[in-house]
């Protein structure tokens, strides 16, 4: 039996993962910024699930949630940093009032929650699951700010994997493609300053025509995440679905092409010459 602490459980992967873990007999600390939205989740599981308020942008709230988890279950061995949302719009269209709050949730909230949890995890080992995205593998027009937050999640996660290996703590970066969650609904905001110059790269049409009908089955994605958390040889990077894999393959090929195209110049040049 594992004990999970999961952020962002009001909807999407967070809610599904909390329910799936509890249904298989694990203990779960499910959290959300507005705890009233998740209180109904715990009723069928008795003492095996508790719900707590946690605004990940509040470092004190993260510490309080960790303390309550230790008080209730003696600790936890899986931390899932799932809380987050997206902003669509060209870089020129976005404003600080729109993109800075997203960084506070997606990046700094993840960091502060992880920092609060590490003293607990270092005592017994465990797993940190950081929810990234296909958008964390490669950038694309109309999603640059969201790309930037998920690229940051990838970098922090890779560093954590190196730092925490001596403590028996694994890091799993989950990189989903499109799945039928409400990500394109309540979890996406659009830049208010729509500019006709960027109509070709706007993701407004994509959002309107794909919300709720994405190809990916989210319950199957949860099954894979559970399998990876349980596995002894889980990878650091876990692209989910054919779209995420295609993004990764294109990125690897493009990166290799860039390296090879300028290899002779960038290696032959004597950069150390004074």
């Amino acid at each position: 039996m594992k004990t999970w602490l999961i952020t962002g459980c009001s909807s999407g992967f967070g809610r599904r993962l909390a329910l799936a873990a509890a249904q298989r007999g694990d203990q779960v600390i499910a959290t959300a910024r507005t705890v009233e939205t998740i209180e109904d989740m715990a009723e069928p599981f008795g003492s095996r699930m508790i719900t707590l308020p946690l605004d990940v942008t509040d470092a004190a709230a993260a510490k309080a949630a960790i303390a309550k988890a230790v008080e209730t279950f003696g600790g936890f061995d899986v931390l899932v940093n799932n809380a987050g949302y997206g902003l669509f719009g060209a870089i020129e269209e976005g404003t600080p009032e729109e993109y800075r709050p997203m960084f506070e949730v997606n990046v700094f909230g993840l960091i502060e929650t992880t920092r609060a949890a590490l003293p607990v995890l270092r005592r017994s080992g465990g797993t940190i699951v950081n929810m990234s995205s296909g958008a964390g593998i490669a950038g694309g027009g109309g999603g640059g700010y969201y790309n930037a937050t998920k690229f940051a999640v990838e970098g922090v996660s890779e560093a954590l994997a190196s730092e925490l290996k001596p403590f028996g703590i694994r890091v799993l970066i989950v990189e989903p493609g499109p799945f039928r969650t409400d990500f394109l609904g309540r979890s996406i905001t659009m830049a208010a300053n729509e500019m006709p110059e960027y109509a070709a790269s706007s993701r407004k049409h994509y959002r309107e025509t794909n919300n709720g009908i994405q190809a990916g089955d989210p319950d199957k994605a949860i099954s894979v995440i559970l399998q990876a958390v349980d596995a002894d040889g889980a990878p650091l990077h876990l692209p989910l679905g054919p779209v995420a894999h295609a993004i990764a393959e294109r990125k690897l090929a493009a990166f290799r092409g860039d390296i090879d195209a300028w290899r002779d110049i960038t290696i032959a040049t004597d950069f150390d010459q004074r």
Side-chain angles (χ1 to χ4, degrees):
M1 182 176 66
K2 290 181 170 62
T3 302
W4 302 65
L5 192 155
I6 307 173
T7 70
C9 290
S10 61
S11 63
F13 281 133
R15 188 178 185 91
R16 282 181 164 86
L17 185 55
L19 290 170
Q23 286 164 355
R24 72 176 196 169
D26 290 350
Q27 298 177 145
V28 178
I29 304 103
T31 74
R33 183 174 59 180
T34 305
V35 72
E36 291 79 11
T37 62
I38 62 171
E39 287 176 340
D40 63 304
M41 291 172 52
E43 294 176 5
F45 305 109
S47 62
R48 284 193 293 107
M49 181 187 286
I50 63 170
T51 57
L52 297 176
L54 175 53
D55 179 348
V56 297
T57 65
D58 182 347
K63 292 179 180 178
I66 300 300
K68 185 64 176 178
V70 172
E71 176 187 331
T72 305
F73 295 123
F76 51 90
D77 44 20
V78 184
L79 168 67
V80 182
N81 286 305
N82 171 73
Y85 70 97
L87 168 67
F88 282 174
I91 299 301
E92 188 177 357
E93 291 175 325
T95 66
E97 292 76 19
E98 291 171 322
Y99 60 75
R100 285 182 181 272
M102 182 177 59
F103 277 83
E104 289 292 338
V105 175
N106 294 7
V107 181
F108 303 122
L110 177 149
I111 290 172
E112 291 303 331
T113 302
T114 301
R115 291 182 68 243
L118 284 177
V120 177
L121 291 171
R122 279 192 291 102
R123 290 199 291 268
S124 57
T127 302
I128 296 174
V129 179
N130 286 337
M131 296 300 295
S132 180
S133 166
I137 300 172
Y145 289 114
Y146 183 60
N147 289 136
T149 65
K150 292 306 182 180
F151 272 49
V153 168
E154 300 263 337
V156 167
S157 301
E158 290 178 2
L160 280 169
S162 176
E163 294 172 356
L164 300 178
K165 186 176 181 180
F167 303 105
I169 302 171
R170 302 180 308 160
V171 177
L172 180 66
I173 310 170
V174 179
E175 299 154 332
F179 283 85
R180 289 188 302 277
T181 67
D182 58 358
F183 176 73
L184 291 178
R186 66 187 294 270
S187 296
I188 282 286
T189 60
M190 301 295 299
N193 178 33
E194 293 186 41
M195 299 173 61
E197 293 87 345
Y198 294 105
S201 61
S202 172
R203 297 197 180 185
K204 183 176 182 179
H205 178 71
Y206 170 78
R207 179 191 185 191
E208 291 174 345
T209 57
N210 285 271
N211 183 26
I213 60 171
Q214 300 95 317
D217 182 337
D219 292 324
K220 291 180 179 178
I222 294 302
S223 177
V224 174
I225 294 171
L226 290 171
Q227 183 178 343
V229 169
D230 291 341
D232 291 332
L236 173 59
H237 293 272
L238 189 71
L240 283 181
V243 173
H245 275 264
I247 292 170
E249 294 292 350
R250 288 195 300 269
K251 175 66 175 279
L252 290 170
F255 199 0
R256 172 56 63 188
D258 288 343
I259 292 171
D260 290 344
W262 281 70
R263 181 185 300 277
D264 292 343
I265 297 172
T266 55
I267 292 179
T269 300
D270 188 357
F271 291 104
D272 294 329
Q273 186 175 3
R274 296 295 193 274

